[in-house]
Amino acid sequence: MKIMNIQVYQSFLTVVQCRSFTQAARFLNFTQPTISNHITALEEEYGVTLFARDGKNVYLTQAGKSFVPMAQQILEDYQKSRDNMRQFQKKNYSLKIGVSTQGINFYLLPVLLRLKQKFPELEIEVNRCMTVESTLDDAFCKKLYDFAFVHIDVQPLYTRRVQLWNQPMVWVAARELYESRGCDNDIYNYPFVGYPASEVYYKHLQSKIDFSRLKHFLTFSDSESVLMAVQQNLGIALTPRVKVEKELANGSLVEFPDCYSGNMPISVLYDYELDFTLPCKHFLTLLKESQEKIRD
């Protein structure tokens, strides 16, 4: 099916108004052959003659007269569609994201970099929420975020959920503390620096770890303080491996054996009725590509 240029309808209506191909060309700042080509294209598309020509005079045929209100409606609908789409174009340049833990940002930031390369004017806001519950509440009750990233298997009503990454969780100690204990690999023999008992980090390792046997020493509500305490030789901690890659590589931290490790799923959730702008669609595509890359 041939797709007609919207300009040919404007040319047709201008010829009708001016009753002249020459005047219509001047009014639209086209050449006369261009106007003639537009009218010819319409006549070939619909298989009718729209104008009768008598020298310099131009008259509408019966088909032409019938076509006038149709062409007017086409132009009106086209303008309405442009006006309507402009509303969405304004929304294209804003993306708000809530994350339930800072560790998610290690996976998210490379995706956001690629998204900004595709949409340079896109404004992106990422907010760290204190808990999974507050992340979900802000995203789906208060409608503060377009996407919510969480580190627990949960899905509120009327949302879509895509599991993206399995975040490796490891036990670490400062090298000085580890060596002072004779390089003991038994985590139950060390003081434990952790999060509040309700912290979901631990739920994914309950099949491997008896948390009641841990020697609780300090509890912090944020991961930065936990890692700072570990670096000060105050105890060992469970942390996303991605947060301590550099410290493990340079040897300042020591990782305990795999038998204590496990994975924590990270998912993205969004409302069923999310207004899917082009950046939103591309964002999801990039997330899935990132998921496949990490899996490979």
Side-chain angles (χ1 to χ4, degrees), residues 119-130:
F119 301 96
E121 297 181 32
L122 179 65
E123 293 182 3
I124 303 174
E125 178 181 328
V126 181
N127 288 319
R128 159 76 161 92
C129 304
M130 291 305 296

Side-chain angles (χ1 to χ4, degrees), residues 7 57 70 82 94 114 125 128 157 189 198 205 225 245 250 252 260 293:
Q7 184 59 57
N57 298 318
M70 299 178 191
R82 285 176 60 86
S94 175
R114 293 179 62 192
E125 178 181 328
R128 159 76 161 92
L157 292 174
N189 292 331
S198 60
L205 290 178
S225 297
E245 293 280 6
N250 65 30
S252 61
Y260 299 118
K293 182 178 180 180

Side-chain angles (χ1 to χ4, degrees), residues 77-125:
D77 290 343
Y78 174 71
Q79 189 57 49
K80 285 181 179 179
S81 71
R82 285 176 60 86
D83 293 341
N84 185 271
M85 290 301 106
R86 283 195 189 100
Q87 299 174 21
F88 293 97
Q89 288 173 359
K90 293 177 183 177
K91 295 179 182 178
N92 283 352
Y93 296 101
S94 175
L95 182 63
K96 295 187 177 182
I97 298 168
V99 299
S100 62
T101 174
Q102 243 180 356
I104 290 172
N105 290 332
F106 287 89
Y107 299 89
L108 186 58
L109 288 175
V111 175
L112 295 181
L113 175 61
R114 293 179 62 192
L115 185 65
K116 283 289 286 185
Q117 291 171 343
K118 178 73 173 179
F119 301 96
E121 297 181 32
L122 179 65
E123 293 182 3
I124 303 174
E125 178 181 328

Side-chain angles (χ1 to χ4, degrees), residues 4 25 49 156 170 281:
M4 302 298 293
T49 299
V170 296
K281 291 179 180 178

Side-chain angles (χ1 to χ4, degrees), residues 2 42 67 103 117-118 147 169-170 203 207 229 246 288:
K2 186 189 297 182
L42 281 171
F67 189 62
Q117 291 171 343
K118 178 73 173 179
F147 294 93
M169 301 295 298
V170 296
K203 296 180 181 178
S207 62
K246 291 182 180 179
K288 292 176 181 177

Side-chain angles (χ1 to χ4, degrees), residues 274-289:
L274 175 65
D275 179 15
F276 264 95
T277 61
L278 286 176
C280 284
K281 291 179 180 178
H282 194 63
F283 182 50
L284 275 182
T285 298
L286 292 177
L287 287 172
K288 292 176 181 177
E289 290 177 1

Side-chain angles (χ1 to χ4, degrees), residues 199-212:
E199 176 57 47
V200 296
Y201 277 7
Y202 308 143
K203 296 180 181 178
H204 301 287
L205 290 178
Q206 285 180 344
S207 62
K208 290 187 172 184
I209 308 297
D210 182 356
F211 286 92
S212 65

